[in-house]
Amino acid sequence: MKPIYKPLSGVTLSERMEESFPSTYLNSISIIQGVALGLLCERVFKPDNKEVFLLFDPKALPYILISFTSIICVLYEYNWFVGVYRWSPKPLDTICPILIGFFEIGAILNLEHPINYWFLNSLFCFSGSIGFLNTHINTKMKMFEGIKNKKLLFNDFIKNNKISFNICIL
């Protein structure tokens, strides 16, 4: 009789971690971004809250649009990320999305306080740059095995990752 489970070896554990990486990462980042979007909607559309800026307040509109765009960008980047990059997660792989969400949500909570908003938004960008740096460090040529022009593709992803990193730190 064949065993139900494959015995746990270093190779098996690594394979399991790499297989679970995309769903775990997307699940985590989806929850974090869902909270950010929900909070932004509450701050923008809940008229009985005196501290909330309404959507058409000219002073608030840039902050709202920046925060909304940030949510979209983070989800977009992570969707691409899990489709391309796979490795056994390390502590920084858990810390980065949490930091990104923490500072992103913090900025949303401070829509009406520009100094706090921009400070937290800069920390949000800095935590994003840590994520891109982490990806850069963990990207290996072997991830592109079996792909035609793997060297070209690998170099393109490294170049794009560097561009994203630079955008975050600017």
Side-chain angles (χ1 to χ4, degrees):
M1 180 180 228
K2 194 173 182 181
I4 296 173
Y5 299 104
K6 190 175 180 182
L8 188 60
S9 66
V11 171
T12 303
L13 177 60
S14 180
E15 287 172 357
R16 288 180 187 173
M17 294 305 287
E18 288 174 14
E19 287 171 14
S20 70
F21 190 69
S23 59
T24 301
Y25 236 53
L26 277 183
N27 196 20
S28 298
I29 203 66
S30 295
I31 291 167
I32 293 166
Q33 295 306 299
V35 169
L37 182 60
L39 184 60
L40 181 62
C41 288
E42 180 187 33
R43 307 278 297 163
V44 172
F45 297 117
K46 191 174 175 189
D48 60 335
N49 187 341
K50 290 177 180 49
E51 291 186 0
V52 174
F53 284 120
L54 297 176
L55 181 59
F56 298 106
D57 182 342
K59 293 180 297 191
L61 196 55
Y63 299 105
I64 293 166
L65 291 175
I66 289 168
S67 293
F68 184 73
T69 303
S70 295
I71 292 168
I72 292 169
C73 289
V74 169
L75 280 172
Y76 178 79
E77 285 295 329
Y78 273 92
N79 283 328
W80 264 105
F81 175 84
V82 299
V84 175
Y85 304 104
R86 306 279 169 90
W87 57 77
S88 293
K90 296 165 189 71
L92 196 54
D93 295 308
T94 301
I95 293 168
C96 281
I98 300 290
L99 278 177
I100 289 167
F102 181 76
F103 293 122
E104 181 179 31
I105 291 168
I108 291 168
L109 286 171
N110 283 278
L111 287 174
E112 69 278 4
H113 304 290
I115 292 171
N116 293 347
Y117 177 86
W118 287 112
F119 176 71
L120 291 164
N121 229 356
S122 67
L123 291 175
F124 160 70
C125 291
F126 178 72
S127 59
S129 70
I130 292 170
F132 284 118
L133 183 61
N134 182 49
T135 301
H136 182 76
I137 290 167
N138 284 290
T139 302
K140 308 290 183 231
M141 181 75 77
K142 69 179 182 177
M143 293 176 172
F144 300 89
E145 288 298 325
I147 297 175
K148 188 177 178 182
N149 299 325
K150 73 176 182 178
K151 186 171 173 106
L152 179 66
L153 189 61
F154 171 78
N155 289 333
D156 282 348
F157 277 101
I158 291 294
K159 182 178 80 177
N160 290 339
N161 191 267
K162 285 179 183 178
I163 291 168
S164 297
F165 172 80
N166 287 321
I167 288 170
C168 279
I169 60 171
L170 295 176

